[in-house]
């Protein structure tokens, strides 16, 4: 079958190929209602599909967003990835995903690969920006948005949760239960500290303890970010003399590993051990007991990150915000693991089901009328 071209559409519609381009791409020049109608009828009759590769070569940009995450197998990063894919599809973009496995070399490799693919923008979900990544970002002319973490040394746009305040709220909640020594599961000892959300969680824990006049010496424990390795560390922590009666975990995945270890050792949660996590992944409501945790609006954060990646007019900070960081509030989702008799009657709802991201992308790609 002969490929239908823009010129074919123009001949059938009785217009120029430039007018066809303006209709299909919604600009950059206006088209009268009558010409638009004829072009759209010709598009439908001929089954014309724009050549996105040719457009990318001409504009030096594609309908792709590059996304780099530490590990999409972890529920938190998987949910961020899905939310970003949905938000990008609404803007007519598709997402290329690269897993860095927490390795700076891997992040750099994906950065260079995505730039070579002429992505429209990059969204980087990282845990602390290394010097080489920071230097690379400073030289790039492609829009970059940091998500989940921020950097004082790299002047890029960032969409983050109020991690310090969220951790402070969670720790204060455990203190209000009467626990005098609330332990904290932070990240690995080798984890970065500049801009790292987990480091902010530890800071929030320290602030809450200080506010209550409680010492933190000997109460900070280092653990991997994932549940599997945290489970091994938690076995040792809970089996040691003088185990804590309450633990704030910097991630829900850590908390899930801790709950598994407690169940295996016969430590009753929340009777003997109160547990609070951070992130409110979907599994948090399904653990035994259901996990009290800190939530933020990931869907709204994803939409903001995509908007910031694609809309240059959003460069200026909105009232009440500083620099280029958009910070979303945290809230406590109370379930049973902390010992509350009355769990949150309004837990974080699941997003309203809607078409798959691919369908959303195709719908966004369809020619639309503009006034």
């Amino acid at each position: 079958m002969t490929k239908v071209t823009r010129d074919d559409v123009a001949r059938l519609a009785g217009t120029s190929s430039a007018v066809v381009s303006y209709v299909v791409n919604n600009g950059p020049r206006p088209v009268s209602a009558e010409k638009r109608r004829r072009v759209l009828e010709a598009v439908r009759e001929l089954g014309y599909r724009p050549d996105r590769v040719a457009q990318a070569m001409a504009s030096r940009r594609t309908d792709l967003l590059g996304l780099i995450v530490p590990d999409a197998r972890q529920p938190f990063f998987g949910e961020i990835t899905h939310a970003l894919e949905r938000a990008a599809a609404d803007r007519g973009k598709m997402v290329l995903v690269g897993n860095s496995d927490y390795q700076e070399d891997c992040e750099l490799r994906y950065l260079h690969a995505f730039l070579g693919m002429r992505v429209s923008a990059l969204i980087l979900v990282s845990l602390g920006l290394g010097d080489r990544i920071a230097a690379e970002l400073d030289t790039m002319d492609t829009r970059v948005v940091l998500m989940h973490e921020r950097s004082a040394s790299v002047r890029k746009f960032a969409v983050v949760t109020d991690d310090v305040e969220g951790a402070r709220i969670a720790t204060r909640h455990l203190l209000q239960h009467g626990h005098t020594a609330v332990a904290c599961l932070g990240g690995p000892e080798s984890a970065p500290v500049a801009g790292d959300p987990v480091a902010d969680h530890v800071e929030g824990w320290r602030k809450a303890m200080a506010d209550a006049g409680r010492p933190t010496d000997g109460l900070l424990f280092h653990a991997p970010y994932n549940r599997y390795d945290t489970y091994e560390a938690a076995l040792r922590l809970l089996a040691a003399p003088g185990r804590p009666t309450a633990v704030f975990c910097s991630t829900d995945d850590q908390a899930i590993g801790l709950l598994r270890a407690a169940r295996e050792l016969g430590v009753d949660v929340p009777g003997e051990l109160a547990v609070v996590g951070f992130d409110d992944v979907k599994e948090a409501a399904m653990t035994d007991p259901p996990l009290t945790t800190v939530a933020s609006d990931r869907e709204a954060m994803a939409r903001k990150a995509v908007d910031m990646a694609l809309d240059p007019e959003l460069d200026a900070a909105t009232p009440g915000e500083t620099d280029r960081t958009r910070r979303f509030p945290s809230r406590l989702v109370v379930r049973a693991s902390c010992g509350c008799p009355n769990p949150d009657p309004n837990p974080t709802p699941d997003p309203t089901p809607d078409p798959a991201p691919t369908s959303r992308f195709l719908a966004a790609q369809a020619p639309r009328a503009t006034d």
Side-chain angles (χ1 to χ4, degrees):
M1 180 179 295
T2 304
K3 181 179 179 181
V4 178
T5 68
R6 190 170 62 189
D7 289 339
D8 295 328
V9 175
R11 278 192 293 270
L12 183 59
T15 65
S16 68
S17 61
V19 169
V20 174
S21 176
Y22 301 153
V23 172
V24 171
N25 296 304
N26 285 316
R29 294 186 179 180
V31 177
S32 69
E34 173 58 23
K35 286 184 179 180
R36 180 178 296 278
R37 181 190 63 77
R38 298 205 311 266
V39 168
L40 292 178
E41 285 184 357
V43 166
R44 284 191 290 270
E45 182 175 337
L46 296 175
Y48 171 67
R49 293 293 180 190
D51 188 338
R52 298 299 179 191
V53 174
Q55 291 178 347
M57 291 176 66
S59 66
R60 299 180 68 82
R61 285 291 182 266
T62 65
D63 287 323
L64 300 173
L65 285 177
L67 169 63
I68 304 175
V69 296
D71 187 351
R73 296 172 300 180
Q74 290 184 235
F76 176 71
F77 296 119
E79 291 178 22
I80 283 181
T81 298
H82 188 256
L84 286 167
E85 187 180 15
R86 288 159 54 97
D90 285 340
R91 298 293 304 272
K93 303 292 182 181
M94 297 192 77
V95 179
L96 296 174
V97 182
N99 288 270
S100 69
D101 290 324
Y102 300 96
Q103 301 297 316
E104 188 178 38
D105 285 342
C106 197
E107 281 188 342
L108 279 170
R109 186 162 62 250
Y110 275 118
L111 277 176
H112 294 153
F114 289 160
L115 290 175
M117 295 176 185
R118 301 293 184 186
V119 295
S120 296
L122 283 163
I123 298 177
L124 177 58
V125 182
S126 183
L127 290 178
L129 294 175
D131 291 340
R132 288 188 297 161
I133 293 289
E136 189 76 18
L137 293 180
D138 280 339
T139 65
M140 290 169 44
D141 58 359
T142 299
R143 177 65 68 93
V144 178
V145 176
L146 306 178
M147 189 172 181
H148 182 53
E149 51 92 37
R150 81 252 184 269
S151 173
S153 61
V154 178
R155 287 187 53 79
K156 296 295 180 183
F157 298 92
V159 178
V160 299
T161 300
D162 193 343
D163 291 293
V164 174
E165 180 62 15
R168 194 178 69 84
I169 292 171
T171 306
R172 185 176 61 195
H173 184 73
L174 289 171
L175 289 165
Q176 289 170 345
H177 273 280
H179 299 284
T180 57
V182 178
C184 175
L185 274 188
E189 289 188 81
S190 59
V193 293
D196 175 17
V198 172
D200 285 348
H201 298 170
V202 174
E203 180 184 345
W205 164 75
R206 290 189 187 278
K207 285 188 174 182
M209 296 290 280
D211 291 343
R214 301 293 181 185
T216 57
D217 293 345
L219 292 175
L220 175 60
F221 299 91
H222 296 283
Y225 299 118
N226 68 80
R227 69 188 68 181
Y228 309 103
D229 294 328
T230 294
Y231 158 75
E232 298 291 343
L235 286 175
R236 297 189 293 272
L237 169 63
L238 297 180
R243 70 167 180 254
T245 61
V247 180
F248 163 62
C249 300
S250 291
T251 73
D252 281 353
D253 232 32
Q254 290 177 325
I256 290 171
L258 177 66
L259 290 176
R260 168 63 188 273
R263 184 166 58 251
E264 191 166 306
L265 293 175
V267 177
D268 178 65
V269 177
E272 298 176 82
L273 180 71
V275 179
V276 174
F278 200 112
D279 292 331
D280 194 31
V281 300
K282 290 183 182 298
E283 288 179 80
M286 305 300 292
T287 58
D288 183 19
L291 180 64
T292 295
T293 184
V294 177
S296 58
D297 191 343
R298 273 194 291 280
E299 294 289 329
M301 292 175 67
R303 290 193 297 271
K304 176 61 75 174
V306 170
D307 286 346
M308 293 174 75
L310 299 177
D311 296 335
E313 62 270 21
L314 294 179
D315 284 4
T318 58
E321 295 175 329
T322 59
D323 200 18
R324 299 182 174 191
T325 298
R326 307 297 184 269
R327 185 170 282 101
F328 282 71
S330 298
R331 72 178 184 92
L332 190 68
V333 179
V334 178
R335 299 191 178 102
S337 67
C338 62
C340 276
N342 298 310
D344 189 347
N346 298 303
T348 305
D350 287 341
T352 302
D354 67 344
T358 299
S359 300
R360 296 153 67 91
F361 167 76
L362 294 176
Q365 288 291 318
R368 293 170 291 180
T370 57
D371 296 329

